[in-house]
Amino acid sequence: MPNSVFMEDLDAFTYRRQLAEGNGVVLIPAGSIEQHGPHMPLNVDVLLSRAMSGSLAEAIGALVAAPIVYGYKSQQRSGGGNHLHGTTSLDAATIIAISKNLTLELARQGVRKIAFVNGHYENYQFLYEGVDLALRELRLGGVEDMKVVLLSYWDFIDEATIAELYPNGFPGWDVEHGGVLETSLMLHLHPGKVDVDRIADLPPARLPNYDVLPVRPELTPDSGCLSSAADATADKGEILLKRATAGMAAALETEFLGLDQR
Ligand code: ZN
Ligand code: MN
């Protein structure tokens, strides 16, 4: 009998039993296929949202559904931009449809506690919209007890951790694309997928505080990274995973398990 928090590792009978006998919380990782500089693969956001979900599931006794692999279009000011080759994205309407569909599909199986664990900056508002539409439809159908939490894992890295891990100044989560956060987590979780020799040590990208369409490609650094990963280490990745997991666990225990952590 496989012992895993990941739905896709389980046979249907074990999955059903764990769902029925556990606390009933199901996590849905949301990633993207997006360039992450010369030193990391295209599926970093999938790998990290899935690993965060796995760690969180073990902490609170939840299950992890198969991840949403593609994401909303990479933005120049947060992911380098959708014009870069390899970055392969979905329209907003598709992301909304996927999050609505998955919420309804899990509801059909009796799940009433879902958390989307987002790992791609641009996904968030469209996941939210899909959940909102699903809950409206469920209420019209008489289902009143569905609760969904949406979160992005980096929002659970507290100020003290930021000060500790970014002694030379924190560039901001939006430009933490292929930078210290993601590269450190990858070095901790998937060291074989990081080519440290190809890390581009450049100052944070200087992007305007507005968007232009069509994009002006010259605004994105050649590396595709928006901040340097030169200071990334596996030890930082371990700390980031631990702190984010603890923060997310406290939030979900408050929302789903009635344990007020504040
Ligand atoms: Zn990323
Ligand atoms: Mn991303």
Side-chain angles (χ1 to χ4, degrees), residues 32 34-36 40 44-45 48 78 119-121 153-154 176-178 182:
S32 71
E34 180 183 37
Q35 65 79 28
H36 276 78
M40 292 197 294
V44 164
D45 293 354
L48 294 184
S78 48
H120 174 60
Y121 196 86
Y153 70 79
W154 49 82
E176 253 293 352
H177 178 76
E182 289 183 319

Side-chain angles (χ1 to χ4, degrees), residues 2 29 69 115 186 209:
V69 170
M186 286 293 289
N209 58 350

Side-chain angles (χ1 to χ4, degrees), residues 15 19 23-29 56 60 62-63 65 68 99-117 131 134-135 138 145-151 252 255-256:
Y15 172 68
L19 206 50
N23 59 27
V25 177
V26 177
L27 313 178
I28 306 178
L56 177 55
I60 66 165
L63 286 169
I68 303 171
S99 66
K100 179 185 176 192
N101 198 326
L102 288 177
T103 303
L104 292 175
E105 187 63 358
L106 288 174
R108 184 182 64 77
Q109 298 177 9
V111 176
R112 292 295 183 267
K113 302 179 182 103
I114 299 172
F116 284 82
V117 178
V131 169
L135 261 60
L138 287 168
D145 58 347
M146 172 64 95
K147 188 169 188 178
V148 183
V149 168
L150 293 117
L151 58 86
L252 296 196
E255 297 302 332
F256 289 139

Side-chain angles (χ1 to χ4, degrees), residues 46 125 161 179 230 247:
V46 181
Q125 221 52 51
T161 306

Side-chain angles (χ1 to χ4, degrees), residues 3-24:
N3 185 17
S4 170
V5 295
F6 293 102
M7 172 203 252
E8 68 261 47
D9 291 341
L10 302 173
D11 65 84
F13 296 87
T14 306
Y15 172 68
R16 270 178 240 155
R17 186 172 47 75
Q18 292 199 4
L19 206 50
E21 293 174 2
N23 59 27

